[in-house]
Amino acid sequence: MTDPTILLHAFILGIVEGLTEFLPVSSTGHLILVGQLLNFNDDKGKVFEIAIQFAAILAVVWEYRARLGHALVNVTTEPASQRLAINLIVAFLPAAVLGFLFIKQIKHYLFNPIVVASALIIGGVLILWAERRKHVIRAETIDDMTWRDALKVGFAQALAMIPGTSRSGATIIGGLFFGLSRKTATEFSFFLAIPTMFAATFYDVFKNRHLFSADDIGLFAVGSAASFISALLAVRGLIRFVSRHDFTVFAWYRIVFGLLVLLTAYTGWVDWGSGG
């Protein structure tokens, strides 16, 4: 598509995906809201979201290419690399298994404005609680994590199947509750996003393969580029942010956004039921 308006919409949605995917907010909620406002939430829009999500994953892979490459090359010989690989597999399993078993029911019954808004608000309250409670750190770095820590974070990630929860929010705040430092919880959330989002993306690509068309290459290219660059900036910015601040600002943002979802749903301004 070469329509400048459509390309502008693709650019905007790419930025929204990249900025929100790895922050403890809800990227799905933001994409649905912005997509609805731009009238870009049909089947083609859902396929487009797959493409820009894939670009966001690549941003994390690029940012941590040295660490990931080192772990991949040395996974058979270095204990730290083996531990990281095992922890990622263990943390990935809960969402993979529960998603395989219940994803249809979740999409059918839970995707409505009340659930989305409630998850946003409850998540915000949990972040406030996590930041106000005494934070006992047991794992200062990712290398300090055990498979039990990873499993706990994995079950926290599974909660993100509830719309509005936020995958990164669930894993980061779960990590804080389980004794990870802010930086460790954040970086492990980034690493865990790679297998989780790759699996979800390939599943969606296979399921919606009939909707892909060569005519959409320009649309996907613009959105993917915007998503990649904004995700890269968000990942780098969040790591710098957590070294000096807590997550309270994200908590209040979630609460306000949740209230906005309720308001737009109640007034009929946004048809949240049209999202997937």
Side-chain angles (χ1 to χ4, degrees):
M1 294 184 181
T2 57
D3 183 345
T5 301
I6 296 296
L7 294 180
L8 177 61
H9 291 173
F11 179 75
I12 293 172
L13 286 168
I15 290 177
V16 171
E17 162 63 21
L19 290 180
T20 60
E21 183 62 54
F22 301 106
L23 300 181
V25 296
S26 172
S27 61
T28 299
H30 285 77
L31 283 175
I32 293 171
L33 179 59
V34 176
Q36 183 72 20
L37 294 175
L38 297 177
N39 195 27
F40 198 70
N41 57 353
D42 55 5
D43 287 340
K44 184 70 70 177
K46 294 176 182 178
V47 172
F48 173 76
E49 289 181 13
I50 298 172
I52 60 176
Q53 184 182 61
F54 183 75
I57 306 171
L58 294 181
V60 172
V61 174
W62 175 257
E63 178 66 11
Y64 289 97
R65 62 193 182 280
R67 175 70 184 273
L68 294 171
H70 177 86
L72 186 62
V73 170
N74 297 282
V75 71
T76 59
T77 59
E78 185 181 75
S81 296
Q82 293 171 350
R83 186 160 53 250
L84 176 60
I86 291 172
N87 285 346
L88 289 177
I89 293 171
V90 169
F92 168 74
L93 287 176
V97 174
L98 294 175
F100 177 78
L101 294 175
F102 301 112
I103 192 61
K104 290 183 178 180
Q105 293 87 338
I106 289 171
K107 286 186 175 182
H108 181 72
Y109 293 107
L110 296 185
F111 212 97
N112 60 72
I114 300 301
V115 172
V116 171
S118 298
L120 284 165
I121 295 170
I122 291 172
V125 172
L126 288 175
I127 292 175
L128 292 177
W129 180 27
E131 291 294 3
R132 281 167 170 72
R133 67 195 289 269
K134 184 178 180 180
H135 191 197
V136 179
I137 299 176
R138 295 186 299 99
E140 191 67 48
T141 69
I142 286 181
D143 291 337
D144 297 328
M145 290 181 61
T146 67
W147 69 267
R148 293 180 181 83
D149 296 324
L151 183 62
K152 293 175 184 177
V153 173
F155 276 109
Q157 177 177 249
L159 293 174
M161 290 187 291
I162 300 173
T165 300
S166 167
R167 190 209 61 81
S168 57
T171 52
I172 291 173
I173 301 308
L176 294 183
F177 275 112
F178 303 140
L180 308 186
S181 68
R182 286 191 183 91
K183 184 177 180 181
T184 298
T186 303
E187 287 191 333
F188 190 73
S189 173
F190 293 160
F191 290 156
L192 183 55
I194 296 172
T196 302
M197 293 170 62
F198 263 124
T201 298
F202 286 134
Y203 172 77
D204 283 337
V205 167
F206 177 78
K207 183 177 66 174
N208 298 288
R209 59 191 183 280
H210 61 286
L211 296 175
F212 285 90
S213 170
D215 295 335
D216 298 324
I217 291 178
L219 177 73
F220 289 171
V222 170
S224 296
S227 177
F228 179 90
I229 295 171
S230 56
L232 194 61
L233 294 175
V235 167
R236 293 177 178 176
L238 187 59
I239 288 296
R240 288 195 298 269
F241 181 87
V242 300
S243 67
R244 299 186 298 272
H245 306 88
D246 60 23
F247 291 102
T248 300
V249 64
F250 296 110
W252 288 114
Y253 178 83
R254 288 179 63 104
I255 291 170
V256 171
F257 186 53
L259 293 174
L260 177 62
V261 172
L262 288 178
L263 176 64
T264 55
Y266 178 77
T267 59
W269 183 39
V270 176
D271 179 14
W272 284 80
S274 64

